[in-house]
Amino acid sequence: MGSLRELHLGFVDLSRQRQGEGGEWCSALARYTPNLRVLSMPFCELHGPICAPFAALRSLSVIDLQHNRLTGPFPEFIAGLPFSYNDLHGWVPPAIFQHKGLVTIDLHQIPGVSGTLPNFSADSNLENLLIGNTNFSGAIPTSVGNLKSLKKLGLGAQGFAGDLPSSIGHLKSLTSLEVSGLGVVGPMPPWITNLTSLEVLEFSRCGLHGPVSSSICELPNLTILSLHTCGFSGEIPPCILNLSQLYALLLHSNNFRGKVELNSLWKLPTLSHLKLSNNKLNVIDGEDNSPLVSFPDIKFLELASCNITKFPNVLKRLDGIYALDLSNNQIHGAVPQWA
């Protein structure tokens, strides 16, 4: 198959391949498909390290080997190739982030890999940079603002530290921004409102603190707003109820104060996940709406430590709920029959 350009074998069980350095699959591809550009083999039960001859496949632009059982250190010869990994470990060469042909770097959910982010050049073609739940560390470079084609930026690694560079606010094509890092400090960055294409915004397990400005409501396309396990405080901006596309609102484990009326959630028709636990909130039913008003089909509702004194009546309208947490409240008396 010397002319083969694309190979898609996802979910094909290749666990009985012959053993060896990288296994039969790796050496066969390197030998017989020299012009391969797209290789997609997720969930194939591949095992062992990546074989050295694999580096000869210089035409590759997409490689997806997620959810296999690949082992060994991160192979340095991969530095010139775009790659998507899951079960490797070791230091990721900085050169992989500077490869001019890369469109996607997806290393998320590989806690064994580590590294630092290099300076990015303005001629980069990166559209997706995802290194969440890895062991990356250090500062997020200002040059990340050079990645003008970037659509998804996932920097959810606990080792990141310092101020978030304001240059991220120049990435007008971003649809997803996720940042973690216990050493990432400062207030909610004001440049967030420049990212009007955002659909996913997550700041989690980090040192960001202070109030959340109502200007966040100027992101009308948000489907996921996740500001959890940080130091955010003050009242939750009421205008969040105007973000009618919200699917998940995750604000747990902060220092938010004030009153939240559950009956006002009918303004979020697509809401499925709501987490307000472990703040300093007072969650109440609020003013009852007419039964004719449709209510979102909430599946996951977490209201632990929300100063609730009785079973919320809003639960009567959540027939499809999967998970409910009302722990550490002041609910007392008999459990209602309807519950």
Side-chain angles (χ1 to χ4, degrees):
M1 295 186 174
S3 300
L4 194 67
R5 296 294 189 272
E6 299 192 15
L7 178 60
H8 299 264
L9 285 176
F11 296 89
V12 176
D13 186 355
L14 300 177
S15 59
R16 298 182 66 182
Q17 60 172 314
R18 289 201 302 268
Q19 295 290 335
E21 184 182 350
E24 185 179 16
W25 69 274
C26 186
S27 56
L29 288 173
R31 182 176 181 180
Y32 296 116
T33 60
N35 296 303
L36 201 62
R37 296 176 181 173
V38 176
L39 173 63
S40 178
M41 297 175 67
F43 296 94
C44 287
E45 294 293 321
L46 301 176
H47 52 269
I50 306 294
C51 63
F54 200 83
L57 299 176
R58 307 304 299 180
S59 298
L60 281 171
S61 59
V62 176
I63 312 175
D64 184 355
L65 297 178
Q66 297 184 71
H67 300 282
N68 285 291
R69 292 182 291 149
L70 302 174
T71 58
F74 195 99
E76 292 197 12
F77 61 78
I78 293 298
L81 297 175
F83 222 89
S84 178
Y85 276 109
N86 66 324
D87 291 326
L88 299 175
H89 65 267
W91 184 263
V92 178
I96 194 173
F97 297 98
Q98 298 168 319
H99 188 274
K100 297 299 189 294
L102 283 173
V103 174
T104 294
I105 298 177
D106 185 354
L107 302 174
H108 80 290
Q109 301 297 337
I110 318 176
V113 298
S114 59
T116 58
L117 293 178
N119 286 322
F120 296 97
S121 63
D123 57 353
S124 172
N125 293 308
L126 269 180
E127 295 180 4
N128 304 290
L129 175 57
L130 306 171
I131 53 176
N133 196 26
T134 63
N135 206 22
F136 270 69
S137 60
I140 299 170
T142 301
S143 59
V144 72
N146 290 333
L147 304 177
K148 302 301 184 183
S149 300
L150 209 59
K151 297 177 181 178
K152 294 183 179 181
L153 179 59
L155 302 177
Q158 290 302 289
F160 284 125
D163 296 328
L164 286 175
S166 60
S167 59
I168 296 178
H170 300 154
L171 304 177
K172 298 298 182 65
S173 297
L174 270 188
T175 60
S176 178
L177 173 62
E178 302 177 30
V179 178
S180 298
L182 296 177
V184 175
V185 296
M188 171 71 78
W191 44 258
I192 284 294
T193 55
N194 296 338
L195 306 178
T196 53
S197 297
L198 274 185
E199 299 173 7
V200 176
L201 174 60
E202 177 178 330
F203 292 127
S204 62
R205 297 178 295 278
C206 65
L208 294 182
H209 58 271
V212 175
S213 171
S214 59
S215 61
I216 199 171
C217 303
E218 298 174 17
L219 303 175
N221 298 315
L222 281 182
T223 60
I224 297 177
L225 177 58
S226 180
L227 308 175
H228 73 84
T229 323
C230 297
F232 294 118
S233 59
E235 294 192 353
I236 298 172
C239 62
I240 283 180
L241 295 177
N242 297 331
L243 298 174
S244 58
Q245 305 299 316
L246 276 184
Y247 171 82
L249 179 59
L250 313 178
L251 304 177
H252 53 288
S253 302
N254 284 291
N255 294 309
F256 287 120
R257 296 178 179 271
K259 185 183 298 182
V260 175
E261 297 186 2
L262 293 176
N263 277 325
S264 64
L265 296 177
W266 65 269
K267 297 179 181 179
L268 299 174
T270 61
L271 192 66
S272 177
H273 294 55
L274 176 63
K275 298 184 180 182
L276 300 176
S277 297
N278 303 314
N279 282 286
K280 300 174 182 178
L281 297 169
N282 292 306
V283 174
I284 61 175
D285 277 317
E287 183 179 349
D288 193 14
N289 294 292
S290 166
L292 299 178
V293 174
S294 61
F295 209 76
D297 186 19
I298 296 177
K299 302 297 185 184
F300 298 87
L301 181 62
E302 297 187 9
L303 302 173
S305 302
C306 285
N307 297 306
I308 300 174
T309 58
K310 65 183 184 68
F311 276 88
N313 286 322
V314 74
L315 295 178
K316 294 179 181 180
R317 309 179 72 170
L318 303 181
D319 293 336
I321 198 164
Y322 289 156
L324 172 66
D325 185 357
L326 297 175
S327 61
N328 199 28
N329 281 292
Q330 289 81 49
I331 298 173
H332 58 276
V335 177
Q337 287 292 326
W338 57 262

